[in-house]
Amino acid sequence: VPEVLQEGSDLTIVTYGSCVRIAEDAAHQLKEFGIEVELIDVQTLIPFDVNHVIAKSIKKTSKVVFFDEDVPGGATAYMMQKVLEDQKAFFSIDSEPKTICAKDHRPAYGTDGDYFSNPNAEDVFETLYGIMNETNPAKFPLLY
């Protein structure tokens, strides 16, 4: 059963594993800009959210981002498909659903491989803030 780690009203972010800590960091930064993120740890991919916790969250926030460190089209696409198609959450979405995942290239070698290949808190912040900017540019102007 997915766990709602942080209640929010503006946007839902769905993740798991080591990405939870990164999402928590980004959610904390977004709070300073007046954005309340609902953070969900899916706990397991199989079985996946049999109680439709994620769809209920999306009904509340109307925006969703799926986040992990897998390759493009991997676990984020799987989670999105399960939520949008199986749980019919697309009826509740007011903006384009997004995925955040690893870069589409071979991972760099050495200690900096994760930095160049995997998403970080800044990537999550930029994606989530960008969604809020699209839906309300007067309240959330471009930062750069």
Side-chain angles (χ1 to χ4, degrees), residues 1-2 12 14 17 22 24 30 33 43 45 56 69 71 83-84 88 91-92 96 105 108 110-112 118 126 136 144:
V1 175
T12 300
V14 180
I22 297 168
E24 286 174 326
L30 287 160
F33 287 83
Q43 305 285 325
L45 294 175
K56 291 172 190 166
E69 295 178 336
V71 297
V83 173
L84 297 183
K88 307 295 185 213
F91 287 117
S92 303
E96 178 183 358
H105 63 75
T111 57
D112 60 351
N118 292 334
E126 289 174 6
N136 191 345
Y144 43 89

Side-chain angles (χ1 to χ4, degrees), residues 3 13 22 30 35 37-41 46 64 66 76 78 81 90 99 106 112-113 115 120 123 127 133-134 137:
E3 181 180 359
I13 185 164
I22 297 168
L30 287 160
I35 299 170
V37 175
E38 180 131 313
L39 174 58
I40 299 177
D41 180 354
I46 299 175
V64 65
F66 298 91
T76 53
Y78 172 79
Q81 182 268 330
F90 63 88
T99 60
R106 290 174 32 176
D112 60 351
Y115 177 79
N120 56 41
D123 297 324
T127 300
N133 168 260
E134 288 173 7

Side-chain angles (χ1 to χ4, degrees), residues 6-7 11 13 20-39 121 124-125 128:
Q6 179 176 308
E7 296 278 337
L11 195 133
I13 185 164
V20 169
R21 181 190 55 75
I22 297 168
E24 286 174 326
D25 185 23
H28 178 73
Q29 293 174 37
L30 287 160
K31 191 170 192 158
E32 295 174 14
F33 287 83
I35 299 170
E36 299 293 329
V37 175
E38 180 131 313
L39 174 58
V124 176
F125 176 92
L128 274 60

Side-chain angles (χ1 to χ4, degrees), residues 15 20 46 49 53 64 67-69 79 81 99 110 116 139 141:
T15 191
V20 169
I46 299 175
D49 192 11
V53 171
V64 65
F67 168 45
D68 80 339
E69 295 178 336
M79 292 187 293
Q81 182 268 330
T99 60
F116 290 105
K139 185 173 180 183

